[in-house]
């Protein structure tokens, strides 16, 4: 038997949720931002919230206001978010109603919640994977309950979102890894105006049968006692057995889909009346009366909650609006790496060395290839930081990456720290949100730049926005490695350049090293940065096999070397006398462009200055503008297409900021305008810039 105090608490919160819904509806001119309420879902939501401990984690979805009430958030706190007020405790007025995030010792942790339906499932499964890792390998960093209870994770979602492909990716990992996560699926038979019969061949319970090892139960989510007993058993089971569970709770939808999509737009009267018969509030009220609770006591609860909600709403409506000067706060957390430190030159041994990839580093001293510089950086990171883990397709023990960029790491650090994933770019990228939230520092790899698109949703929707929309509570500290660029007949799906696409996303940093020393220093800085950093690593520079790229090999910097993001470098300076006579130009470039530019510049001794950007965001604008102003003639060189590209946008910024110093229009060179890089190597070469084409561009510039 459930204690009457629990039932009365649940009834009071149900009445609170109902009063909130009525208040919002009666004040639509004030409640002008789109919102949903939990009417019809209150029983399963409260039953779930009541099982959780402060050591646990939960990801609600946009209809879960009753879960938040059950966790102990007040109507006033929720209303501050509803009305986008300055003191909104979750996002400071930046995010929709019932889109919480929370860190505190008194309640379960809630990572940032997005509005993209079903997208929370991957980050939340990443939470469970991170908790499992801490419990198995870093137990001192795992927060337990007061009685030593192990934490569980709950991911709440509507049944319509179960058809999302990313949900399948998460369920695959949950059963494969046996993660301590509960997927709470609230099934009200609607996905906006799409009915279940239109949208799905099976419900969540039947779908779960296709994932062996995923325990499952189907319950009446409108009945509080049944929901409470079921969730108590499920939470205890997962807390003890550390295995995933799916709960499908059938519930009515007793409100509008949202305040903007009204029920009268799409629901029939018979459907509405059918849902009303399942209202959880009168069910629990009758149960309390049957248990001997006086009706007068229930009426008192109803009156008290109604008055409290009215008071809370009046207070929230009168609360201050956000200060517009804070609109750009929290895009990034401050990085500790602000200066170049350590020994870049390394220790000269006078002998060639062989890296783990098996390639011999040529030349005097310990010159190493870029691929080994990345490998050595990650090796040192993992030696110094036990929270660092590395995963992605084929990076594990057998292969060590298709470019051997992770060779030997699994042997040294174990399969728990360096491991393979399935072909799941969305999970590889999105899981870093949850991993980071529990204190791990994931380094992940997307095998080719062309393959990043399946993970783009997680990158845009979850990773890039988390710090900003959580007011800095949940920055995603991750390094995403992406081999990029055309090299030796890779063909249409292994040769792409994607920097412009990535640079369109705000809230991430983009690094593009062109040599081994920069690779190591930037990799260290990227790892130490508390924000998401994408490392674009040109495949053609990994081993310096492309003619003219021998300079990508450099002496390995010492262990202490760190190169801050956002600092460009002049890799070739023009002679002062050519600058004074106006006979010089500059090339702004990065990646393979550095070597095309250096090769071309040999034909113009002392007349060409080359800036290697090294980081595309943040960009070293000061160095770029200063260099262009000095020469008055500029070529922006990229491997990407020219039109609508980062290079073209950069040229526009240069033209605006350096207008008074320009002696010629800004020139731009990139790949020709074709949708893919052809496989035939002659065709590939015809599509891309090369030293001869750059020479021609320099000649044209120097004529001005």
């Amino acid at each position: 038997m459930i204690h009457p105090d629990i039932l009365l608490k649940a009834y009071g919160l149900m009445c609170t949720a109902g009063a909130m819904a009525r208040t919002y509806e009666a004040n639509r001119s004030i409640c002008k931002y789109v919102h949903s309420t939990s009417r019809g879902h209150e029983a399963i939501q409260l039953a779930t919230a009541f099982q959780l401990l402060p050591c646990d984690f939960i990801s609600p979805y946009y209809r879960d206001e009753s879960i938040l009430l059950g966790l102990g958030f007040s109507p006033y706190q929720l209303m501050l978010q509803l009305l986008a007020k300055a003191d909104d405790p979750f996002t400071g007025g930046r995010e929709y109603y019932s889109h919480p995030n929370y860190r505190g010792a008194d309640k379960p942790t809630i990572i940032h919640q997005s509005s993209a339906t079903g997208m929370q499932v991957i980050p939340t499964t990443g939470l469970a994977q991170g908790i499992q890792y801490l419990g198995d390998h870093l137990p001192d960093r795992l927060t337990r309950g007061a009685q030593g209870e192990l934490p569980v994770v709950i991911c709440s979602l509507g049944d319509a979102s179960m058809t999302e492909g990313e949900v399948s990716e998460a369920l695959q990992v949950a059963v494969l890894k046996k993660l301590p996560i509960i997927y709470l699926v609230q099934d009200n038979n609607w996905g906006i105006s799409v009915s279940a019969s239109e949208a799905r061949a099976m419900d969540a319970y039947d779908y779960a049968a296709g994932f062996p090892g995923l325990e499952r139960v189907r319950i009446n989510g409108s009945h509080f006692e049944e929901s409470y007993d079921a969730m108590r058993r499920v939470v205890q089971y997962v807390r003890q057995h550390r295995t995933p569970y799916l709960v499908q709770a059938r519930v009515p939808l007793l409100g509008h889909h949202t305040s903007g999509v009204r029920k009268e737009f799409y629901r029939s009267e018979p459907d509405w009346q059918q849902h009303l018969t399942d209202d959880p509030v009168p069910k629990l009220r009758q149960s309390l009366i049957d248990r001997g609770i006086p009706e007068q006591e229930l009426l008192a609860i109803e009156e008290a909650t109604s008055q409290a909600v009215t008071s809370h709403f009046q207070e929230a409506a009168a609360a201050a609006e956000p200060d517009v000067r804070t609109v750009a706060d929290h895009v990034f957390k401050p990085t500790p790496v602000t200066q170049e430190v350590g020994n870049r030159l390394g220790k000269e041994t006078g002998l060639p060395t062989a890296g783990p990839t098996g390639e011999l580093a040529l030349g005097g001293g310990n010159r190493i290839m870029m691929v080994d510089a990345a490998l050595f950086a990650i090796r040192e990171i993992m030696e110094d930081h036990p929270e660092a883990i590395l995963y992605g397709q084929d990076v594990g023990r057998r292969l060590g990456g298709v470019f051997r960029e992770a060779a030997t790491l699994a042997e040294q650090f174990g399969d728990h720290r360096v491991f393979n994933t399935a072909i799941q770019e969305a999970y590889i990228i999105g899981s870093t949100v949850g991993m980071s939230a529990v204190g791990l520092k994931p380094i992940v790899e997307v095998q080719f730049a062309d393959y990043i698109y399946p993970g783009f949703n997680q990158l845009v929707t979850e990773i890039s926005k988390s710090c900003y929309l959580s007011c800095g509570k949940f920055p995603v500290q991750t390094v995403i490695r992406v081999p990029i660029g055309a090299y030796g007949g890779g063909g249409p799906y292994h040769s792409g350049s994607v920097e412009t696409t990535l640079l369109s996303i705000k809230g991430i940093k983009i690094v593009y090293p062109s040599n081994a020393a920069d690779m190591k220093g930037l990799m260290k800085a990227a790892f130490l940065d508390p924000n998401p950093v994408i490392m674009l690593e040109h495949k053609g520079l990994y081993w310096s096999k492309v003619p003219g790229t021998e300079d990508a090999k450099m002496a390995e910097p010492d262990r202490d070397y760190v190169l801050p993001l956002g600092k460009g470098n002049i890799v070739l300076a023009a002679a002062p006398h050519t600058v004074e006579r106006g006979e010089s130009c500059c090339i702004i470039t990065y990646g393979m462009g550095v070597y095309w530019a250096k090769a071309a510049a040999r034909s113009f001794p002392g007349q060409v200055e080359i800036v290697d950007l090294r980081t595309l965001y943040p960009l070293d604008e000061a160095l770029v503008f200063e260099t262009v102003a000095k020469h008055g003639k500029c070529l922006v060189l990229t491997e990407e297409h020219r039109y609508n590209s980062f290079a073209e946008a950069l040229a526009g910024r240069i033209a605006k900021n350096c207008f008074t110093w320009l002696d010629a229009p800004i020139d731009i060179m990139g790949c020709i305008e074709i949708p893919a890089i052809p496989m035939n190597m002659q065709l590939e070469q015809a599509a891309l810039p090369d030293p001869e084409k750059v020479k021609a561009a320099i000649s044209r510039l120097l004529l001005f």
Side-chain angles (χ1 to χ4, degrees), residues 20 50 71 143 163 166 210 243 345 391 401 420 486 537 564 603 701:
M20 291 164 69
F50 289 176
L71 292 176
T143 301
T163 55
E166 294 186 12
T243 191
L345 298 179
Y391 58 96
N420 291 327
E537 306 172 15
S603 298
L701 273 177

Side-chain angles (χ1 to χ4, degrees), residues 281-318:
V281 181
K283 286 183 181 181
L284 181 55
R285 193 179 197 279
Q286 186 59 51
S287 179
L288 287 165
I289 292 173
D290 293 343
R291 287 169 178 255
I293 304 297
E295 186 169 10
Q296 195 63 33
E297 183 175 346
L298 301 180
L299 290 171
I301 290 173
E302 293 160 10
E303 178 63 23
T305 54
S306 178
Q307 291 180 2
V309 166
T310 298
S311 176
H312 281 277
F313 184 77
Q314 291 172 347
E315 187 178 356

Side-chain angles (χ1 to χ4, degrees), residues 186-238:
Q186 300 175 55
D187 186 359
N188 61 30
N189 211 54
W190 284 103
I192 310 184
S193 68
V194 180
S195 67
S197 61
E198 293 176 277
R200 68 191 190 202
M202 65 199 78
D203 65 12
Y205 179 84
D206 290 334
Y207 185 61
F211 297 88
L214 179 59
E215 302 291 334
R216 58 188 177 132
V217 64
R218 182 188 277 138
I219 64 172
N220 181 354
S222 69
H223 192 281
F224 178 77
E225 291 97 324
E226 179 181 338
S227 297
Y228 186 91
D229 283 338
M231 293 309 299
R232 177 177 52 82
R233 289 194 302 270
V234 169
V235 170
Q236 288 178 351
Y237 182 89
V238 175

Side-chain angles (χ1 to χ4, degrees), residues 60-256:
Y61 86 118
Y62 60 82
R63 202 176 295 284
D64 278 348
E65 67 179 358
S66 285
I67 279 183
L68 299 177
L69 291 171
L71 292 176
F73 293 101
S74 69
Y76 174 69
Q77 289 174 304
L78 303 189
M79 291 168 180
L80 287 173
Q81 186 174 51
L82 171 83
L83 302 175
K85 297 293 188 173
D87 291 334
D88 159 22
F90 307 125
T91 71
R94 300 176 179 192
E95 182 66 284
Y96 304 100
Y97 185 56
S98 194
H99 287 63
N101 61 84
Y102 185 77
R103 278 193 190 273
D106 61 329
K107 296 179 180 68
T109 298
I110 307 173
I111 59 175
H112 165 252
Q113 301 301 292
S114 79
S115 264
T117 307
M119 294 307 100
Q120 77 272 34
V121 181
I122 283 178
T124 309
T125 304
L127 272 175
Q129 192 170 1
I131 288 169
Q132 182 190 67
Y133 183 92
L134 292 180
D136 290 344
H137 305 290
L138 297 172
D140 292 344
R141 303 191 185 193
L142 181 67
T143 301
R144 294 173 175 247
Q147 306 302 317
E149 298 95 339
L150 289 168
V152 300
V153 178
I154 289 185
C155 181
S156 177
L157 64 161
D159 191 76
S161 65
M162 289 296 293
T163 55
E164 284 278 4
E166 294 186 12
V167 174
S168 173
E169 289 193 20
L171 297 181
Q172 287 273 2
V173 175
V175 297
L176 177 67
K177 302 291 186 180
K178 297 181 173 58
L179 301 181
I181 185 168
I182 299 161
Y183 299 100
L184 172 61
V185 182
Q186 300 175 55
D187 186 359
N188 61 30
N189 211 54
W190 284 103
I192 310 184
S193 68
V194 180
S195 67
S197 61
E198 293 176 277
R200 68 191 190 202
M202 65 199 78
D203 65 12
Y205 179 84
D206 290 334
Y207 185 61
F211 297 88
L214 179 59
E215 302 291 334
R216 58 188 177 132
V217 64
R218 182 188 277 138
I219 64 172
N220 181 354
S222 69
H223 192 281
F224 178 77
E225 291 97 324
E226 179 181 338
S227 297
Y228 186 91
D229 283 338
M231 293 309 299
R232 177 177 52 82
R233 289 194 302 270
V234 169
V235 170
Q236 288 178 351
Y237 182 89
V238 175
R239 207 180 290 284
Q240 177 181 354
H241 294 282
R242 320 305 290 164
T243 191
Y245 221 115
L246 183 140
V247 177
Q248 186 203 11
R250 299 187 305 276
V251 291
L253 177 59
L254 299 182
H256 307 287

Side-chain angles (χ1 to χ4, degrees), residues 314-343:
Q314 291 172 347
E315 187 178 356
E321 298 290 333
D323 185 339
V324 296
R325 292 172 296 181
T326 67
V327 68
D329 291 354
H330 307 298
V331 175
F332 294 113
K333 292 283 283 187
T335 176
V337 180
T338 57
Q339 293 183 333
E340 185 174 6
V341 296
N343 183 7

Side-chain angles (χ1 to χ4, degrees), residues 383-396:
E383 288 172 347
D384 296 340
H385 298 275
E387 69 274 21
I389 58 176
L390 172 66
Y391 58 96
Q393 294 173 37
D394 300 305
V395 303

